[in-house]
Amino acid sequence: MNFSTRNYLAFALLFLSQPIFAQSKADKKAITQLKTDIGYLASDALEGRRTGTEGERRAGDYIIQSYERAGIKSFRGKYRYDFHFIYGKNIAAATQIRLQGKDITTKDGFPLPFSANKQANGDVLPEVMEQGGVWLIPIYQSQDEANDAHFDWEKIAYEKCKEAQKQSAAGVVFYDSYGSKFAPEFNPHSEYEALDIPVAFLGHDIYNELIAANTSGLDISMNVALAKTDRTGSNIAAYIDNKARYTVVLGAHYDHLGYGEDGSSLYAGKEKKIHNGADDNASGTAALLQLAQWVKKGKLKGYNYLFVSFSAEELGLLGSKAFIKEEGIDSTHTAYMINMDMVGRLNDSTHALTIGGVGTSPVWANEIAPAQRAFKVNIDSSGVGPSDHTSFYYANIPVLFYFTGTHSDYHKPTDKADKINYEGELEVMHSIYDLVKNMDAAPKPVFTPTKQSSVGRVHFKVTLGIMPDYSYQEEGVRVDGVSEGKAADKAGLKAGDVIIKLGDTQVKSMQSYMEALSKFKAGDKTQVVIRRDGKEKKFPVQFK
């Protein structure tokens, strides 16, 4: 490895207390193990470790076997912690669409995800829009729209259906009269709210067969039945019990995107491909497995140590949220949490390492000083970010987040094991271990709240200052956390509250919540209505 003089000295000083030959041998062994672990976790055999799949289950088994070989016991009597959640919609078997007596299969047509679960029928003519009737209308207005890969057909369809609903349509059926190169597909994770009328789409083949030449009317009937999709994730937890008063949590998510089915893939191709997730986050998972062994061999006794591999991080930090809630993880028993997410692509030229959460305790500024000498450290003070440490921050636990940076392979099938900088990852791991070792003899760090990071968030003129619970599937927006000093905090909102109205806007989902928020500017005053313990409560709010 080609170190600069400064980094070479920092690296040498890091291990000065141990024999050079022995340390070099240990590092070679550690790198071999990283290659083995990441190689397996990011292999095609696990098919991208999508939450709830056989690939993720096998990854979990691999993690458990690693702990068993190392002699690290399970947490509270078991390694695997299953949790259930609702995520998205599917087309239920009761759904039926008939046109001119022909049953339409899902290959040729399907209900849209914002459809109501209702029936509608009647005799219709294309583009004849009558009150009380089913509207049969084209989804594209030109061949150019049909061939435009960026045409947002779902948005257009939703807006047309909202207008149809206002004009008392009984239902809407769209059709493709042009033969789009990018035909609509059922979106199980649509962010559009359910309407009060049934809505469906018919493909180009059905248009050619039954609609194109018809001038006397068509008999149409539909019964839409959409169901919420129940899924199961599995957190993996191991524990070193030193009978200490407080516990340190080290964590990394091990799930990834599978074939990109859940909508967060950045892959632009049409061919189905495995998203291997070597850096995101086989790298963090492999680092966690070795750090657990180092903590055990180092005989760190000042705290208990809990090692958690989180599931469903890619779906909205669902695994870490479930683990904290179901296992009662709180600040009275937890000293701090370190999260590793994408730590495998350290750039040899810049040597840049991002450490987040530095503002969550006064001790962190001093504790990360050695890392600042070894790396070019980008500091993010916020305890809130796009990974699982956020869940712990909202439980008032000091956190640190290690991240070697994004890259062009992020959330794509090209995030593979051969692109990992194994020597660089080992450097990061040593830096984390040194901090943990130093903290082992230190008192429990004091928690301090921080400003919310702006990275990856949609910008509005104002903010309410809440962290929404993206796993919540009922009507409204449930509050997962409240930022200190923001409008929600001053108004008296708490985690667990469900926002059902903001100003004059009824809040049914994140979509209407964001629409409501966009109407306000700094200095505006309004009222928020929430549901708490089954009762509605109203709070005055002022935006700043």
Side-chain angles (χ1 to χ4, degrees), residues 390-418:
T390 300
S391 303
F392 288 80
Y393 169 79
Y394 278 121
N396 297 325
I397 295 169
V399 298
L400 286 176
F401 169 45
Y402 285 77
F403 169 59
T404 54
T406 191
H407 43 75
S408 61
D409 300 307
Y410 173 70
H411 278 202
K412 295 178 182 177
T414 49
D415 182 9
K416 294 182 178 292
D418 61 358

mmCIF file of all heavy atoms in Angstrom, residues 390-418:
data_model
loop_
_atom_site.group_PDB
_atom_site.id
_atom_site.type_symbol
_atom_site.label_atom_id
_atom_site.label_comp_id
_atom_site.label_asym_id
_atom_site.label_seq_id
_atom_site.Cartn_x
_atom_site.Cartn_y
_atom_site.Cartn_z
ATOM 1 N N THR A 390 -29.161 6.916 13.813
ATOM 2 C CA THR A 390 -30.252 7.866 14.024
ATOM 3 C C THR A 390 -31.257 7.332 15.039
ATOM 4 O O THR A 390 -31.744 8.073 15.900
ATOM 5 C CB THR A 390 -30.964 8.167 12.696
ATOM 6 O OG1 THR A 390 -30.017 8.719 11.782
ATOM 7 C CG2 THR A 390 -32.109 9.138 12.881
ATOM 8 N N SER A 391 -31.577 6.051 14.952
ATOM 9 C CA SER A 391 -32.550 5.450 15.876
ATOM 10 C C SER A 391 -32.059 5.541 17.317
ATOM 11 O O SER A 391 -32.858 5.762 18.235
ATOM 12 C CB SER A 391 -32.802 3.989 15.491
ATOM 13 O OG SER A 391 -33.257 3.888 14.155
ATOM 14 N N PHE A 392 -30.759 5.378 17.517
ATOM 15 C CA PHE A 392 -30.193 5.449 18.864
ATOM 16 C C PHE A 392 -30.124 6.895 19.351
ATOM 17 O O PHE A 392 -30.336 7.172 20.532
ATOM 18 C CB PHE A 392 -28.819 4.788 18.895
ATOM 19 C CG PHE A 392 -28.884 3.291 18.787
ATOM 20 C CD1 PHE A 392 -29.051 2.673 17.552
ATOM 21 C CD2 PHE A 392 -28.802 2.490 19.917
ATOM 22 C CE1 PHE A 392 -29.131 1.299 17.443
ATOM 23 C CE2 PHE A 392 -28.887 1.111 19.820
ATOM 24 C CZ PHE A 392 -29.055 0.511 18.586
ATOM 25 N N TYR A 393 -29.827 7.795 18.434
ATOM 26 C CA TYR A 393 -29.813 9.217 18.799
ATOM 27 C C TYR A 393 -31.174 9.638 19.335
ATOM 28 O O TYR A 393 -31.263 10.351 20.340
ATOM 29 C CB TYR A 393 -29.423 10.069 17.596
ATOM 30 C CG TYR A 393 -29.651 11.547 17.832
ATOM 31 C CD1 TYR A 393 -28.746 12.297 18.583
ATOM 32 C CD2 TYR A 393 -30.784 12.186 17.324
ATOM 33 C CE1 TYR A 393 -28.963 13.651 18.821
ATOM 34 C CE2 TYR A 393 -31.006 13.541 17.556
ATOM 35 C CZ TYR A 393 -30.097 14.263 18.306
ATOM 36 O OH TYR A 393 -30.323 15.599 18.559
ATOM 37 N N TYR A 394 -32.238 9.197 18.689
ATOM 38 C CA TYR A 394 -33.574 9.567 19.147
ATOM 39 C C TYR A 394 -33.961 8.877 20.452
ATOM 40 O O TYR A 394 -34.985 9.220 21.055
ATOM 41 C CB TYR A 394 -34.612 9.292 18.053
ATOM 42 C CG TYR A 394 -34.675 10.399 17.027
ATOM 43 C CD1 TYR A 394 -34.428 10.165 15.686
ATOM 44 C CD2 TYR A 394 -34.965 11.702 17.419
ATOM 45 C CE1 TYR A 394 -34.474 11.190 14.761
ATOM 46 C CE2 TYR A 394 -35.009 12.733 16.495
ATOM 47 C CZ TYR A 394 -34.770 12.474 15.172
ATOM 48 O OH TYR A 394 -34.808 13.502 14.248
ATOM 49 N N ALA A 395 -33.150 7.918 20.896
ATOM 50 C CA ALA A 395 -33.325 7.332 22.230
ATOM 51 C C ALA A 395 -32.407 8.022 23.242
ATOM 52 O O ALA A 395 -32.172 7.507 24.334
ATOM 53 C CB ALA A 395 -33.031 5.833 22.186
ATOM 54 N N ASN A 396 -31.862 9.201 22.853
ATOM 55 C CA ASN A 396 -30.992 10.013 23.728
ATOM 56 C C ASN A 396 -29.681 9.317 24.082
ATOM 57 O O ASN A 396 -29.155 9.462 25.190
ATOM 58 C CB ASN A 396 -31.732 10.428 25.002
ATOM 59 C CG ASN A 396 -32.929 11.313 24.713
ATOM 60 O OD1 ASN A 396 -32.903 12.115 23.787
ATOM 61 N ND2 ASN A 396 -33.979 11.165 25.499
ATOM 62 N N ILE A 397 -29.166 8.569 23.129
ATOM 63 C CA ILE A 397 -27.904 7.846 23.309
ATOM 64 C C ILE A 397 -26.831 8.515 22.445
ATOM 65 O O ILE A 397 -27.063 8.741 21.252
ATOM 66 C CB ILE A 397 -28.076 6.368 22.912
ATOM 67 C CG1 ILE A 397 -29.062 5.675 23.863
ATOM 68 C CG2 ILE A 397 -26.728 5.640 22.907
ATOM 69 C CD1 ILE A 397 -29.499 4.303 23.388
ATOM 70 N N PRO A 398 -25.658 8.846 22.994
ATOM 71 C CA PRO A 398 -24.579 9.402 22.166
ATOM 72 C C PRO A 398 -24.201 8.423 21.055
ATOM 73 O O PRO A 398 -24.145 7.208 21.281
ATOM 74 C CB PRO A 398 -23.427 9.594 23.162
ATOM 75 C CG PRO A 398 -24.073 9.658 24.500
ATOM 76 C CD PRO A 398 -25.268 8.749 24.418
ATOM 77 N N VAL A 399 -23.925 8.951 19.870
ATOM 78 C CA VAL A 399 -23.624 8.084 18.729
ATOM 79 C C VAL A 399 -22.406 8.598 17.971
ATOM 80 O O VAL A 399 -22.057 9.776 18.039
ATOM 81 C CB VAL A 399 -24.820 8.002 17.745
ATOM 82 C CG1 VAL A 399 -26.037 7.405 18.420
ATOM 83 C CG2 VAL A 399 -25.147 9.378 17.143
ATOM 84 N N LEU A 400 -21.764 7.686 17.244
ATOM 85 C CA LEU A 400 -20.766 8.021 16.233
ATOM 86 C C LEU A 400 -21.069 7.199 14.995
ATOM 87 O O LEU A 400 -21.481 6.037 15.102
ATOM 88 C CB LEU A 400 -19.343 7.735 16.720
ATOM 89 C CG LEU A 400 -18.755 8.699 17.750
ATOM 90 C CD1 LEU A 400 -17.369 8.211 18.192
ATOM 91 C CD2 LEU A 400 -18.666 10.123 17.201
ATOM 92 N N PHE A 401 -20.842 7.786 13.847
ATOM 93 C CA PHE A 401 -21.158 7.144 12.569
ATOM 94 C C PHE A 401 -19.928 7.215 11.667
ATOM 95 O O PHE A 401 -19.441 8.304 11.353
ATOM 96 C CB PHE A 401 -22.342 7.874 11.931
ATOM 97 C CG PHE A 401 -22.635 7.495 10.499
ATOM 98 C CD1 PHE A 401 -22.652 6.167 10.095
ATOM 99 C CD2 PHE A 401 -22.929 8.480 9.551
ATOM 100 C CE1 PHE A 401 -22.933 5.825 8.777
ATOM 101 C CE2 PHE A 401 -23.216 8.153 8.230
ATOM 102 C CZ PHE A 401 -23.215 6.817 7.847
ATOM 103 N N TYR A 402 -19.415 6.041 11.257
ATOM 104 C CA TYR A 402 -18.221 5.964 10.408
ATOM 105 C C TYR A 402 -18.627 5.616 8.978
ATOM 106 O O TYR A 402 -19.378 4.670 8.741
ATOM 107 C CB TYR A 402 -17.243 4.926 10.955
ATOM 108 C CG TYR A 402 -16.497 5.403 12.174
ATOM 109 C CD1 TYR A 402 -17.116 5.426 13.420
ATOM 110 C CD2 TYR A 402 -15.180 5.857 12.086
ATOM 111 C CE1 TYR A 402 -16.444 5.878 14.555
ATOM 112 C CE2 TYR A 402 -14.498 6.310 13.216
ATOM 113 C CZ TYR A 402 -15.135 6.314 14.436
ATOM 114 O OH TYR A 402 -14.464 6.773 15.553
ATOM 115 N N PHE A 403 -18.042 6.368 8.024
ATOM 116 C CA PHE A 403 -18.478 6.291 6.621
ATOM 117 C C PHE A 403 -17.324 6.773 5.744
ATOM 118 O O PHE A 403 -16.800 7.873 5.944
ATOM 119 C CB PHE A 403 -19.713 7.190 6.471
ATOM 120 C CG PHE A 403 -20.181 7.458 5.072
ATOM 121 C CD1 PHE A 403 -20.545 6.433 4.228
ATOM 122 C CD2 PHE A 403 -20.315 8.774 4.623
ATOM 123 C CE1 PHE A 403 -21.010 6.703 2.941
ATOM 124 C CE2 PHE A 403 -20.785 9.054 3.352
ATOM 125 C CZ PHE A 403 -21.138 8.017 2.515
ATOM 126 N N THR A 404 -16.890 5.950 4.789
ATOM 127 C CA THR A 404 -15.759 6.342 3.937
ATOM 128 C C THR A 404 -16.189 7.061 2.662
ATOM 129 O O THR A 404 -15.361 7.376 1.815
ATOM 130 C CB THR A 404 -14.889 5.123 3.564
ATOM 131 O OG1 THR A 404 -15.719 4.112 2.969
ATOM 132 C CG2 THR A 404 -14.184 4.564 4.789
ATOM 133 N N GLY A 405 -17.460 7.321 2.518
ATOM 134 C CA GLY A 405 -17.914 8.154 1.403
ATOM 135 C C GLY A 405 -18.706 7.415 0.345
ATOM 136 O O GLY A 405 -18.583 6.197 0.174
ATOM 137 N N THR A 406 -19.516 8.165 -0.366
ATOM 138 C CA THR A 406 -20.314 7.588 -1.450
ATOM 139 C C THR A 406 -19.459 7.465 -2.709
ATOM 140 O O THR A 406 -18.337 7.975 -2.775
ATOM 141 C CB THR A 406 -21.565 8.433 -1.712
ATOM 142 O OG1 THR A 406 -22.455 7.704 -2.583
ATOM 143 C CG2 THR A 406 -21.209 9.764 -2.330
ATOM 144 N N HIS A 407 -19.996 6.797 -3.712
ATOM 145 C CA HIS A 407 -19.249 6.545 -4.951
ATOM 146 C C HIS A 407 -20.228 6.207 -6.064
ATOM 147 O O HIS A 407 -21.434 6.073 -5.829
ATOM 148 C CB HIS A 407 -18.240 5.415 -4.748
ATOM 149 C CG HIS A 407 -18.793 4.252 -3.972
ATOM 150 N ND1 HIS A 407 -19.667 3.343 -4.502
ATOM 151 C CD2 HIS A 407 -18.603 3.878 -2.675
ATOM 152 C CE1 HIS A 407 -19.993 2.432 -3.588
ATOM 153 N NE2 HIS A 407 -19.370 2.748 -2.463
ATOM 154 N N SER A 408 -19.721 6.065 -7.252
ATOM 155 C CA SER A 408 -20.583 5.859 -8.419
ATOM 156 C C SER A 408 -21.270 4.496 -8.421
ATOM 157 O O SER A 408 -22.188 4.276 -9.218
ATOM 158 C CB SER A 408 -19.772 6.027 -9.706
ATOM 159 O OG SER A 408 -18.715 5.075 -9.760
ATOM 160 N N ASP A 409 -20.851 3.570 -7.555
ATOM 161 C CA ASP A 409 -21.475 2.246 -7.499
ATOM 162 C C ASP A 409 -22.579 2.166 -6.449
ATOM 163 O O ASP A 409 -23.190 1.103 -6.276
ATOM 164 C CB ASP A 409 -20.415 1.178 -7.197
ATOM 165 C CG ASP A 409 -19.329 1.143 -8.247
ATOM 166 O OD1 ASP A 409 -19.675 1.037 -9.436
ATOM 167 O OD2 ASP A 409 -18.142 1.246 -7.887
ATOM 168 N N TYR A 410 -22.835 3.267 -5.752
ATOM 169 C CA TYR A 410 -23.831 3.285 -4.683
ATOM 170 C C TYR A 410 -25.212 2.873 -5.201
ATOM 171 O O TYR A 410 -25.708 3.400 -6.183
ATOM 172 C CB TYR A 410 -23.894 4.690 -4.075
ATOM 173 C CG TYR A 410 -24.998 4.884 -3.064
ATOM 174 C CD1 TYR A 410 -24.945 4.267 -1.813
ATOM 175 C CD2 TYR A 410 -26.088 5.685 -3.364
ATOM 176 C CE1 TYR A 410 -25.955 4.452 -0.890
ATOM 177 C CE2 TYR A 410 -27.110 5.884 -2.433
ATOM 178 C CZ TYR A 410 -27.035 5.265 -1.204
ATOM 179 O OH TYR A 410 -28.049 5.438 -0.287
ATOM 180 N N HIS A 411 -25.799 1.869 -4.542
ATOM 181 C CA HIS A 411 -27.132 1.351 -4.868
ATOM 182 C C HIS A 411 -27.245 0.878 -6.316
ATOM 183 O O HIS A 411 -28.298 1.016 -6.950
ATOM 184 C CB HIS A 411 -28.214 2.381 -4.545
ATOM 185 C CG HIS A 411 -28.607 2.380 -3.093
ATOM 186 N ND1 HIS A 411 -29.802 2.867 -2.632
ATOM 187 C CD2 HIS A 411 -27.952 1.929 -1.993
ATOM 188 C CE1 HIS A 411 -29.877 2.722 -1.322
ATOM 189 N NE2 HIS A 411 -28.755 2.165 -0.912
ATOM 190 N N LYS A 412 -26.145 0.331 -6.816
ATOM 191 C CA LYS A 412 -26.129 -0.240 -8.161
ATOM 192 C C LYS A 412 -25.571 -1.664 -8.106
ATOM 193 O O LYS A 412 -24.880 -2.029 -7.151
ATOM 194 C CB LYS A 412 -25.273 0.617 -9.097
ATOM 195 C CG LYS A 412 -25.809 2.022 -9.339
ATOM 196 C CD LYS A 412 -24.868 2.810 -10.244
ATOM 197 C CE LYS A 412 -25.362 4.240 -10.460
ATOM 198 N NZ LYS A 412 -24.409 5.037 -11.271
ATOM 199 N N PRO A 413 -25.822 -2.467 -9.148
ATOM 200 C CA PRO A 413 -25.280 -3.829 -9.176
ATOM 201 C C PRO A 413 -23.759 -3.873 -9.204
ATOM 202 O O PRO A 413 -23.166 -4.932 -8.982
ATOM 203 C CB PRO A 413 -25.867 -4.412 -10.468
ATOM 204 C CG PRO A 413 -27.075 -3.590 -10.750
ATOM 205 C CD PRO A 413 -26.746 -2.211 -10.266
ATOM 206 N N THR A 414 -23.114 -2.762 -9.469
ATOM 207 C CA THR A 414 -21.644 -2.713 -9.573
ATOM 208 C C THR A 414 -20.939 -2.566 -8.224
ATOM 209 O O THR A 414 -19.702 -2.510 -8.188
ATOM 210 C CB THR A 414 -21.225 -1.550 -10.483
ATOM 211 O OG1 THR A 414 -21.910 -0.355 -10.075
ATOM 212 C CG2 THR A 414 -21.573 -1.857 -11.928
ATOM 213 N N ASP A 415 -21.681 -2.495 -7.129
ATOM 214 C CA ASP A 415 -21.070 -2.414 -5.790
ATOM 215 C C ASP A 415 -20.628 -3.822 -5.395
ATOM 216 O O ASP A 415 -21.310 -4.526 -4.664
ATOM 217 C CB ASP A 415 -22.068 -1.839 -4.788
ATOM 218 C CG ASP A 415 -21.485 -1.680 -3.384
ATOM 219 O OD1 ASP A 415 -20.254 -1.863 -3.232
ATOM 220 O OD2 ASP A 415 -22.249 -1.386 -2.450
ATOM 221 N N LYS A 416 -19.438 -4.211 -5.876
ATOM 222 C CA LYS A 416 -18.958 -5.585 -5.730
ATOM 223 C C LYS A 416 -17.694 -5.660 -4.866
ATOM 224 O O LYS A 416 -17.009 -4.662 -4.636
ATOM 225 C CB LYS A 416 -18.680 -6.189 -7.101
ATOM 226 C CG LYS A 416 -19.946 -6.375 -7.945
ATOM 227 C CD LYS A 416 -19.645 -7.010 -9.278
ATOM 228 C CE LYS A 416 -20.900 -7.248 -10.097
ATOM 229 N NZ LYS A 416 -21.775 -8.292 -9.521
ATOM 230 N N ALA A 417 -17.396 -6.872 -4.419
ATOM 231 C CA ALA A 417 -16.309 -7.095 -3.457
ATOM 232 C C ALA A 417 -14.932 -6.737 -4.003
ATOM 233 O O ALA A 417 -14.039 -6.367 -3.237
ATOM 234 C CB ALA A 417 -16.327 -8.553 -2.996
ATOM 235 N N ASP A 418 -14.742 -6.839 -5.308
ATOM 236 C CA ASP A 418 -13.412 -6.550 -5.859
ATOM 237 C C ASP A 418 -13.085 -5.058 -5.860
ATOM 238 O O ASP A 418 -11.955 -4.665 -6.166
ATOM 239 C CB ASP A 418 -13.264 -7.133 -7.263
ATOM 240 C CG ASP A 418 -14.267 -6.560 -8.265
ATOM 241 O OD1 ASP A 418 -15.121 -5.729 -7.864
ATOM 242 O OD2 ASP A 418 -14.210 -6.953 -9.443
#
